[in-house]
Amino acid sequence: MSRASTHAARSPLRFIAYSLLLIAVALPFATLIAQMFAANASGLWLHYAATVLPTYVGNSVLLGGSVALIASGIGVACAWQIERYRFPLRDFLSWALLLPMAMPAYVAAYALTDFFQFSGPPQTGLRATFGWVKGDYWFPELVSLPGAVTVFSLTLYPYVYLLARSAFAQRGAELFEAARTLGLSARAAWWRAALPVARPAVAGGALLVLMETLADFGTVSYFGVETLTTGIFRAWQNMGDLVAAAQLAALLLTTVIVLVSLERRGRRRARYANTRARHVSSARMGQPVSQAAAWARTLLCMLPLTLGFVLPVLLLLRLLEREWVAVSMAAVLKWTGNSLLVGGLASLVVVSLSLTLHARARLYRERSALRIERLLSFGYAVPGAVLAIGVLLPLAWLDNQIIALSLRLWGVNPGLLLTGSVLALVYASSIRFYGVASSSISAAYSRMPLHLDDSARVLGVSGWSAFARVHWPALKTSSVAATLLVFIDTLKELPATLTLRPFNFDTLATQTYNLVKDERLGEAALPSLLILLASLPAVALLGRVNTHHKNNQDRT
């Protein structure tokens, strides 16, 4: 059979495979859209609009906007110090500033709250030292909206730091030096030259921070902040109103779509800015400063790292040491096994699918593979609570149809085959975190010259043989990084896991939330530390890959 006939024979199979992928991706979102036009939709919206909806929307906007602004400020400030100046611990801080990325916000929330509450060491020490009693002094209340803003900002700023540092290293420093030679002060040169070229990267990082904040459930629930996410869970689990929950989810989804669209439009407008800028080698960076200024910069970069990572880890160890006896190791091992199962399956599915779609788009110039890949990548922008409802509704309907058919044909009730298994959780996680793997693999492919494929074809190597012998060696590191990142994100995911997990199936994330909700903080410390411990390799690899790419650019 000729190559053309083989390609034609495979076309129906490829069409079926791509159609099934499209259905799998579109089904959750189509379900949510359909719920917006349910029979009682208008009545529900009028009721919510007159009662709780303004609070949900207002708190979500205030929380998300404040966190995006503060996290961007921290990330940009630290990125510029690292890229521009030499100071003590600079090399250590350049990668250590990514460590708060491994700290789930809801874990940091309860650890810091326990420490800074009325009975915690700081306030107890103040009362003992000055003889104060309650009411004699003011102390910030962490269990509040400002407290939630603080915790989110300290744990999410690495998203902005990573992108801003890359932008400053590639373009910002050269323009800063040019502005200085034109007579501008250091402050004016940074504001008018360095910051504008980094603005698209900062905006992209701020959008990631905003989406993570809007998607969170554990932190806002613990702090008692009513957002759209908590409203979804309250309507569904407390009031049993699935239609209302779906409509709130659709509203949150619409908000995210608008934000992503605005960010992409802004990025397209900035695409051609500064196209002639060259990368500044590291020899020209790291400007020396006075000893006092150098240590001030060290303290500036140490502060978010200490508050967002070091202090919560120490507080978790303190809680664990205090209530170690109460911890059930058998239960912890079971939660760990469940977490590893879901994370392993989701990362395997996502990375395999991403490699397949990217390879087909590259090897066979399949535009359909590229379109599906871009559609799947949008899933990362969808909050877990939204995706959970979109997945559960069609799977529950399908389960009911299977049960009805089985009873009619064989008189046997097979139970919930889809919603009562890990399948639904892996399905939602795969859609939710596909973009994480896609961005890593897509970046690896973008660094791979197209002439390599032409050279391989000249030597008689094409198709999947070319992927194995030419592409894969260049993709291995990025694929491992993508696998680890998807695994860690699945491990930390709380809203979707709480909603879709099978009966009596608990993970480290869900049990941490449940134990904290019951005020069993000491018992919650061990699963929290295990999540953190599992996350560190991915963060370390991310910092290593980023440094490796930067060093390669320095040599060019």
Side-chain angles (χ1 to χ4, degrees), residues 53-110:
L53 189 59
T55 301
Y56 293 160
V57 174
N59 285 342
S60 297
V61 171
L62 185 59
L63 178 66
S66 300
V67 172
L69 184 63
I70 296 174
S72 296
I74 296 173
V76 169
C78 292
W80 181 249
Q81 303 307 317
I82 292 293
E83 282 301 319
R84 180 64 189 164
Y85 300 103
R86 288 203 300 265
F87 52 88
L89 302 179
R90 174 177 176 263
D91 292 339
F92 163 75
L93 288 168
S94 66
W95 64 267
L97 281 165
L98 294 174
L99 289 175
M101 188 181 290
M103 176 68 67
Y106 55 86
V107 171
Y110 86 79

Side-chain angles (χ1 to χ4, degrees), residues 273-408:
N274 196 30
T275 56
R276 293 180 177 270
R278 302 183 307 273
H279 183 76
V280 179
S281 67
S282 58
R284 291 179 59 189
M285 298 302 291
Q287 297 297 314
V289 293
S290 66
Q291 186 174 7
W295 280 108
R297 286 173 167 81
T298 301
L299 293 176
L300 173 67
C301 294
M302 282 294 298
L303 185 61
L305 173 63
T306 302
L307 295 177
F309 182 79
V310 177
L311 181 58
V313 169
L314 294 177
L315 296 178
L316 289 173
L317 292 172
R318 171 177 169 266
L319 286 170
L320 181 61
E321 186 273 335
R322 202 167 58 191
E323 297 188 36
W324 174 262
V325 180
V327 177
S328 171
M329 293 305 298
V332 171
L333 289 175
K334 182 180 179 181
W335 307 333
T336 304
N338 292 339
S339 300
L340 295 176
L341 175 64
V342 175
L345 289 175
S347 57
L348 179 64
V349 169
V350 166
V351 175
S352 300
L353 182 58
S354 182
L355 283 171
T356 301
L357 290 174
H358 277 96
R360 294 201 70 89
R362 174 84 172 233
L363 294 169
Y364 302 109
R365 304 293 192 270
E366 290 183 0
R367 294 184 179 179
S368 52
L370 196 57
R371 292 192 188 101
I372 293 176
E373 196 280 329
R374 288 173 179 170
L375 180 62
L376 278 166
S377 298
F378 176 74
Y380 188 67
V382 182
V386 173
L387 196 56
I389 294 179
V391 166
L392 185 63
L393 288 175
L395 290 187
W397 178 86
L398 188 56
D399 262 336
N400 289 330
Q401 300 306 309
I402 293 173
I403 290 172
L405 182 62
S406 177
L407 288 173
R408 187 164 59 250

Side-chain angles (χ1 to χ4, degrees), residues 244-264:
Q247 291 175 348
L248 287 173
L251 175 61
L252 184 53
L253 177 62
T254 303
T255 303
V256 170
I257 291 174
V258 170
L259 291 172
V260 172
S261 300
L262 291 175
E263 190 273 336
R264 288 184 176 177

Side-chain angles (χ1 to χ4, degrees), residues 34-50 53 243-244 247:
Q35 290 298 320
M36 294 184 69
F37 301 98
N40 57 343
S42 58
L44 284 171
W45 273 116
L46 290 174
H47 172 69
Y48 270 89
L53 189 59
V243 174
Q247 291 175 348

